[in-house]
Amino acid sequence: MLDHWHTLIQQLPLGAALPLWVQSLLLPLAVWVLYGLFSRIAPVLAVRRSRPGVRLLIRRTRLPVQLILAATVIHSIGEGFPAYPMVPLVLDRFIPLVIVLGVSLLAYRAIGTLFLALRQRFDISMADNLRARQATTQILVLERLVTVTIVVITIAIALMTVPEVRRFGTSLLASAGVAGLVVGFAAQQSIANVLAGIQIAITQPLRIDDAVVIDGEWGWVEEITLTYVVVRIWDKRRLVVPISYLLQKPFQNWTRSTASVIGTVIIHADYTVDVPALRLEQARFLAANPLWDGQVDVVQITDTTQTTVVIRSLVSAENSSKAWDLRCEVREKLIRWLQENQPDALPRQRMRIKGSVTASPSDRSSVS
């Protein structure tokens, strides 16, 4: 290609008078200028709704493109110095490595921009965000899988650009099977986690922003990688769980099929409690509470003890966070209502004394 370029340059006026290194330099410089024009014209020519994404793509890929063009310029200048044979030899060793790294960085940033644009299409902050959480989980796991693939391919191609490493790798090809078995046996747990991460992305027993209970800890799924899951606990702690653990141990997913959650409030009361009145009070309270989604409002006696009845109140909310707050408010409201309107219905102990009580002579004299 470079020979054809030199021929084209020499056909231009004053082209033959230019040094060879100048002729070689004109090609990457021309490409650089064209790239600069393209980066400014492309957002204008794009569809209006796609312009922010095009600008983001150009901004994120500008550095790797400049790196590739700079390496090409340096290589072209080196070919213009035939009197210094060491220059082309050194450049032939390092320039391909730089170009491989530049292309890999370009692919990584371009694909990352694509996945970012896909994630922005789904809003997990919505009340009914089941579809958004499904898509976001698949996108995140797929993005990390593609990133790992790009890194592995980059390392392989970069090593193959060095002749010594390429010949060494060829000589070890015969023992690659045994080496693969050894490495696979040593890293079987890591490989199992990666495969489990792919299975999580496909089957989706949990997703981003799911409300889960793992080992008695309640929180929301904050991050899913190929090897572990990060759960944001309600008190702002982070629970890091290996992916393989989630496929081997049971856990609770409160938002598996829908984001709405039913909360439970348990109250112990005396046998004389007026349950219908308590049921009406909860209905009035929920009707004026913005946390309630208008779906579930139940008050029932579900159990008894020797001294009290167990009243279970069921309320629903749009998500687990609102359900928690609603449960606390309902519990406070019902207890306050019992204190103000049915104080005798609060838990109490009853004692019955049998027989007669005989006063002592000193007690009689004090009474008289």
Side-chain angles (χ1 to χ4, degrees), residues 96 104 156 355:
S104 301

Side-chain angles (χ1 to χ4, degrees), residues 166-177:
R166 183 167 62 246
R167 290 195 298 268
F168 182 69
T170 304
S171 64
L172 291 178
L173 187 60
S175 59

Side-chain angles (χ1 to χ4, degrees), residues 20 33 120 127 139:
L20 184 60
V33 171
Q120 290 178 345
I139 291 171

